[in-house]
Amino acid sequence: MSTFPFDYTLPPDLIAQEPCEPRDHARLLVANRRDCTLHHRRFHDLPDLLQPNDLLVLNDTRVLPARLLGKRANTGGKWEGLFLRQVPDATWEMLCQTRGTLTEGEIIEIEPAPLTLRMLRRLPGGRWQAQPLLPGNIAELLDRFGHIPLPPYIRKGAARAEDRDRYQTIYAQQVGAVAAPTAGLHFTERVFQQLQDRGIVWTYVTLHVGLATFQPIQVDDYTKHPMHHEWAELPEASATAIQSCKARGGRVIAVGTTSVRVLESAARLGPLQVWSGETDLYIYPPYEFKVVDGLVTNFHLPRTTLLLMVAAFAGVDLLREAYETAIAERYRFYSYGDAMLILP
């Protein structure tokens, strides 16, 4: 842990390969910033750990079945692609993997038929612009032909049928992510009912999680890392809910680093207000948070911007102790792993 929060060592067997069942039985490490204490709970205890008048802010993005499998029409060779986004002319931006070299104009036959893609042109960063040769909108085509894009540290990315539900929050609505906002995976209808019974309310923001979220920082000086862009939105109802929470003396508890990124992006230019657009906000220690009072988050990969954001919020020393404790107590890490609650 000598280079924490930039890096740390994790035993590979602590990387969760399956989600907890039921969702809300995941372990929850509670870190209190005020007295620097740590406590072990379960996620279904969350309502008892919060206060009436608190406000939870959840990311309602929905993960696309963005992973496509197929073959090259001219050679029969295996091909794998990941849908990244649709560009204004209705073509797709993708990452592609195959043996040999793809050529412009080449046809990819997706399995199962009848979807085919024409590779139009190579883009920077190993990406391709592709044209789907079958009518239908993105959500329809990917739902029919795609697979859930599990990160490579979960079964080497090999999704099963049940991952369509489990790698998705139960409140997902806005289609557009290629990775899940994983802190929200632990919520169940039971937890929401208990929150409501205690007078704790919630609201939603949207951030479409991109593949670059998980990319490791490649530079030694992490402050020089070129931050990726993601589309986000803070709607009027949520801005109003946050303002009301602050006015009544409640605490804003962000669910996940993606929710933090939306809230702090919206507050960069002044008082919190309705906002949408691309954000490249990069949070690392030290950072003065303008909106967020508490945080629910999973345990993050080393050398990632997510880990640095949480270190900025919790404080480096407290987060170091939390990660050392989680490893010693054999918590489960990463997307399908356990969670932390960081309180003020």
Side-chain angles (χ1 to χ4, degrees), residues 102-119:
L102 288 172
T103 59
E104 294 183 356
E106 187 170 341
I107 298 297
I108 304 296
E109 298 173 345
I110 303 301
E111 299 171 349
L115 177 61
T116 55
L117 303 175
R118 177 180 288 116
M119 298 290 104

Side-chain angles (χ1 to χ4, degrees), residues 28-257:
L28 181 67
L29 182 62
V30 183
N32 193 306
R33 294 188 301 179
R34 181 173 301 174
D35 56 11
C36 295
T37 57
L38 298 172
H39 302 282
H40 304 285
R41 303 292 290 266
R42 292 283 174 177
F43 196 85
H44 56 67
D45 297 325
L46 179 67
D48 295 329
L49 299 168
L50 301 180
Q51 300 173 358
N53 289 328
D54 283 347
L55 173 71
L56 287 165
V57 180
L58 305 111
N59 181 6
D60 66 359
T61 189
R62 187 169 188 85
V63 181
L64 289 161
R67 184 173 178 242
L68 295 168
L69 303 175
K71 62 182 180 180
R72 302 170 68 179
N74 58 347
T75 68
K78 290 184 178 180
W79 173 94
E80 181 176 333
L82 183 70
F83 171 88
L84 298 178
R85 68 186 185 102
Q86 187 176 46
V87 294
D89 64 359
T91 59
W92 296 1
E93 186 178 306
M94 306 189 70
L95 285 175
C96 302
Q97 182 178 352
T98 189
R99 286 189 176 182
T101 303
L102 288 172
T103 59
E104 294 183 356
E106 187 170 341
I107 298 297
I108 304 296
E109 298 173 345
I110 303 301
E111 299 171 349
L115 177 61
T116 55
L117 303 175
R118 177 180 288 116
M119 298 290 104
L120 297 180
R121 64 187 184 97
R122 189 185 303 273
L123 302 172
R127 295 167 294 126
W128 276 84
Q129 183 181 359
Q131 178 184 11
L133 302 179
L134 188 68
N137 63 43
I138 298 169
E140 292 170 346
L141 292 176
L142 292 180
D143 188 62
R144 182 176 173 187
F145 298 102
H147 305 265
I148 286 294
L150 288 183
Y153 50 76
I154 299 178
R155 299 182 236 121
K156 298 182 179 179
R160 297 194 290 260
E162 54 267 31
D163 291 305
R164 283 222 170 195
D165 291 327
R166 292 300 281 115
Y167 194 64
Q168 197 84 263
T169 65
I170 67 168
Y171 49 82
Q173 290 291 330
Q174 309 298 331
V175 175
V178 296
T182 57
L185 295 179
H186 310 291
F187 282 84
T188 61
E189 294 295 347
R190 174 174 64 171
V191 169
F192 281 123
Q193 184 61 57
Q194 292 171 342
L195 288 167
Q196 183 176 336
D197 292 344
R198 279 185 48 78
I200 300 163
V201 293
W202 56 91
T203 193
Y204 299 101
V205 296
T206 303
L207 184 139
H208 292 322
V209 189
L211 192 65
T213 292
F214 301 109
Q215 288 182 349
I217 297 170
Q218 303 288 354
V219 294
D220 291 333
D221 181 358
Y222 57 74
T223 66
K224 306 300 184 185
H225 173 70
M227 192 63 180
H228 61 280
H229 291 70
E230 291 170 318
W231 187 88
E233 180 178 31
L234 174 66
E236 182 176 1
S238 299
T240 300
I242 293 165
Q243 292 161 357
S244 297
C245 174
K246 296 286 189 180
R248 65 177 179 262
R251 304 175 301 179
V252 174
I253 311 296
V255 177
T257 56

Side-chain angles (χ1 to χ4, degrees), residues 255-271:
V255 177
T257 56
T258 59
S259 295
V260 174
R261 200 172 190 212
V262 179
L263 297 176
E264 296 298 321
S265 295
R268 274 199 289 187
L269 301 179

